[in-house]
Amino acid sequence: MKILFLVNHEVTLYYFRLELLKALIDEGNEVLISMPRAEHAETFEKMGCKILDTPITQYGMNPLKELKLIKEYKKAIENFLPDIILTYTIKPALYGGIAAASKNVPYISTITGLGAAFEKGKLFSSLIALWYRFSTRKISCIFFQNEEHSKKFSSLKIAPGKHRLVSGSGVNLEKHKFEEYPQEDGTNLLFIGRMMRDKGIFELCEAVRNLSKKYKLSLDIIGWCEKECEELKNSFEEGGAIRYLGWQEDVHSFVKKCHAVILPSYHEGMANGLLEAEAGGRPVLASDIPGCRETFDDGVTGFGFEAKNEQSLETAIEKFCLLSNAERAGMGKAARKKVENEFDRKHVVKAYLDAIHEFGGQKK
């Protein structure tokens, strides 16, 4: 079988879907990945995948560039003649869906999150919904990482009857091993993700600054910094309560050192950083929103709080600061057990393999 992946960045595959790619290659399938070529391209090629360097802007909405991307996807389909196409993230889903439908090739999309697309006013949301309905008109199936997003698409009549649910991207439990809880005094929180407003980073930094006056509290931030947060990043004082550590290849070593991972996000598909932290035996503090609330049991593996509400966030952090080390460690052990029971990546890979086997080769 010939399988074409359409993605906007290698991170989507390298950190969350290597196991799926390996399983497909081991079966003897031919795999082509259309994406902007980046630093891990050789890793995919050594596995047996082929790379089609396809430039794509993450946020831009230039009509000429967007039309060009659809043409690039159509050209890739004509040259590679895939039996099935898999798309991840919004642009590959929308434009790849249009290209796949025009060539009558089966395709599977994954909604990893709604982003801000459905929060920009009624008119813009209606246009996005219309676009999704058009691009998914011939879709084989569409995977969602939480039930609320599936319900949202159902209410908008997007791909009715084609929805399937998976436990996010799952966690590789062998790679993200359980770590004994740190014995250091105080509370070191870890934020994993892009520094951007929609991740709640402004509220988080303010809450930590306030509470660090009362408790021995610190925050480490790992991830890319968006332009909107450059000024915030530059305001961090050397030796202060907040440290920006930039992009880190090995996140697990930082998880091992922290007392809890925190994510005050406004919207998520499924917060993989929280799941990986729990796999490592760390409690999590997270927004009570779809994509976060599924990852933890409030009061058992972590604490939830209201998104966009700094007071609610501060209350959750303070509640965690007041726990004994033994209570925190118990939360961490419960967190690991939850991930083992509900978020093993092997189950997610099987769901995709089943769908690929079911729909692959069903060209019309």
Side-chain angles (χ1 to χ4, degrees):
M1 193 184 303
K2 300 174 77 172
I3 305 166
L4 173 61
F5 282 79
L6 306 179
V7 300
N8 72 344
H9 197 285
E10 67 173 12
V11 166
T12 298
L13 298 179
Y14 184 77
Y15 289 101
F16 308 121
R17 295 170 181 92
L18 277 184
E19 296 86 353
L20 174 59
L21 293 172
K22 184 179 185 304
L24 291 171
I25 293 295
D26 288 347
E27 287 182 349
N29 299 298
E30 188 176 348
V31 176
L32 174 66
I33 304 170
S34 171
M35 67 177 184
R37 190 177 181 90
E39 62 177 310
H40 294 297
E42 289 186 6
T43 299
F44 298 115
E45 290 171 335
K46 287 179 181 178
M47 290 175 62
C49 302
K50 296 177 182 178
I51 305 295
L52 177 61
D53 187 7
T54 309
I56 178 173
T57 56
Q58 189 171 0
Y59 300 116
M61 292 296 288
N62 184 308
L64 293 178
K65 290 184 177 180
E66 307 310 285
L67 286 173
K68 183 179 179 181
L69 182 58
I70 295 175
K71 290 180 179 179
E72 289 290 333
Y73 284 157
K74 287 183 178 181
K75 184 178 178 181
I77 294 170
E78 290 169 356
N79 292 336
F80 185 59
L81 298 176
D83 295 292
I84 194 164
I85 298 170
L86 278 77
T87 72
Y88 293 92
T89 67
I90 293 176
K91 284 194 177 182
L94 292 175
Y95 306 146
I98 292 171
S102 72
K103 300 299 180 181
N104 291 314
V105 178
Y107 62 105
I108 297 170
S109 285
T110 299
I111 302 300
T112 54
L114 300 185
F118 289 94
E119 297 182 3
K120 292 185 176 181
K122 190 174 181 179
L123 177 59
F124 190 82
S125 296
S126 297
L127 290 173
I128 289 292
L130 182 63
W131 202 345
Y132 263 116
R133 281 196 291 272
F134 179 70
S135 67
T136 60
R137 67 193 186 279
K138 293 184 180 180
I139 200 165
S140 300
C141 79
I142 181 168
F143 280 103
F144 292 87
Q145 299 192 335
N146 67 66
E147 191 172 355
E148 280 83 356
H149 288 171
S150 176
K151 289 179 178 178
K152 174 73 172 178
F153 271 51
S154 292
S155 70
L156 295 170
K157 297 180 173 55
I158 300 172
K162 303 293 183 66
H163 296 196
R164 298 189 181 186
L165 193 64
V166 287
S167 301
S169 303
V171 180
N172 184 325
L173 295 173
E174 295 176 4
K175 178 180 178 182
H176 297 280
K177 298 182 182 298
F178 177 82
E179 303 287 355
E180 291 299 326
Y181 201 75
Q183 298 302 309
E184 291 83 359
D185 292 334
T187 302
N188 173 238
L189 301 178
L190 177 65
F191 172 92
I192 306 170
R194 296 206 309 274
M195 274 190 72
M196 58 188 295
R197 188 174 299 278
D198 281 9
K199 295 292 184 182
I201 194 67
F202 286 92
E203 298 96 306
L204 175 58
C205 290
E206 187 62 25
V208 169
R209 280 171 171 155
N210 290 339
L211 290 172
S212 64
K213 299 172 185 176
K214 185 176 180 181
Y215 300 98
K216 188 178 179 182
L217 173 66
S218 63
L219 170 68
D220 288 335
I221 299 172
I222 289 177
W224 289 301
C225 180
E226 300 291 340
K227 288 183 180 179
E228 63 184 4
C229 292
E230 283 290 340
E231 187 175 342
L232 174 65
K233 182 191 72 174
N234 294 335
S235 72
F236 300 157
E237 298 177 6
E238 186 174 349
I242 305 172
R243 294 192 305 164
Y244 175 65
L245 305 176
W247 169 257
Q248 299 290 333
E249 184 76 21
D250 178 21
V251 173
H252 188 77
S253 63
F254 292 90
V255 170
K256 181 179 179 180
K257 296 174 184 177
C258 79
H259 293 96
V261 168
I262 187 164
L263 182 62
S265 185
Y266 299 173
H267 41 74
E268 293 288 330
M270 185 64 72
N272 225 73
L274 296 180
L275 295 176
E276 291 175 359
E278 290 185 290
R282 296 299 175 265
V284 298
L285 309 178
S287 303
D288 183 17
I289 59 168
C292 283
R293 68 167 66 106
E294 296 88 349
T295 67
F296 68 97
D297 296 324
D298 195 41
V300 179
T301 67
F303 294 126
F305 48 83
E306 184 180 343
K308 304 181 185 181
N309 186 326
E310 187 183 321
Q311 185 55 56
S312 179
L313 171 60
E314 279 196 27
T315 298
I317 295 174
E318 184 165 30
K319 191 187 300 184
F320 186 76
C321 287
L322 293 172
L323 293 179
S324 69
N325 215 52
E327 289 173 318
R328 297 178 184 186
M331 275 188 161
K333 290 178 180 177
R336 171 69 187 195
K337 185 62 65 176
K338 179 177 178 64
V339 173
E340 289 176 346
N341 293 338
E342 302 176 26
F343 295 97
D344 190 332
R345 184 166 290 171
K346 292 177 182 177
H347 302 313
V348 177
V349 170
K350 184 180 184 304
Y352 278 92
L353 290 176
D354 289 346
I356 291 168
H357 295 154
E358 180 181 350
F359 299 112
Q362 293 184 5
K363 292 183 180 179
K364 298 178 181 178

